[in-house]
Amino acid sequence: MRKPDPLSTEHLDDLEAGIGVLMVVWGRSAERIKPKVSPSQLRALVVVDRHGSINLMSLADELGSIPSVTSRVCDRLQAAGLLDRVAGSDDRREVMLRLSRDGRRLLRQFQRERQADLKQVLDAMPPRSRTALLTGLNAFHAAATDLDLPDEELA
């Protein structure tokens, strides 16, 4: 097996600059969704959506938060009509969190906005560069997966 070429500091600086711009483009879409939600609320909605339903402790674990803080985030999301709390099907004492219809609508809107922003930048790139970027990102994702890095952190 061939050893990968070492990365220079300049390459890493370029990578960080590109990722910084990507994060700005990514974040702009969150600013346009209605109702306004904080980044931590948006992350919570994304995690709940990915699971379909999840209990508070599991959500707190995935968010890297403590249950009391996660509970307050969920209180705000429920008050905004974006999250529902329901009794668990196996244990009626367990409270499960699910997206409401408005919560699903908000996440669909977020995805549309985010994809429109990404498409605008990708369309402005030369086709060859765009293909190289997408090929590189696929390889990056595969390498991160091989290293067992979590890929569920982003909103």
Side-chain angles (χ1 to χ4, degrees), residues 59-71:
L59 177 60
D61 285 345
E62 283 212 36
L63 296 176
S65 182
I66 59 176
S68 60
V69 170
T70 303
S71 182

Side-chain angles (χ1 to χ4, degrees), residues 5 32 42 44-45 47 60 62 66 70 73-74 80 83 102 109 140 143 151 154:
D5 295 332
R32 291 193 308 273
L42 186 56
L45 290 171
V47 171
E62 283 212 36
I66 59 176
T70 303
V73 167
C74 292
L83 190 70
D102 287 344
Q109 179 190 4
F140 186 89
D151 64 346
L154 292 174

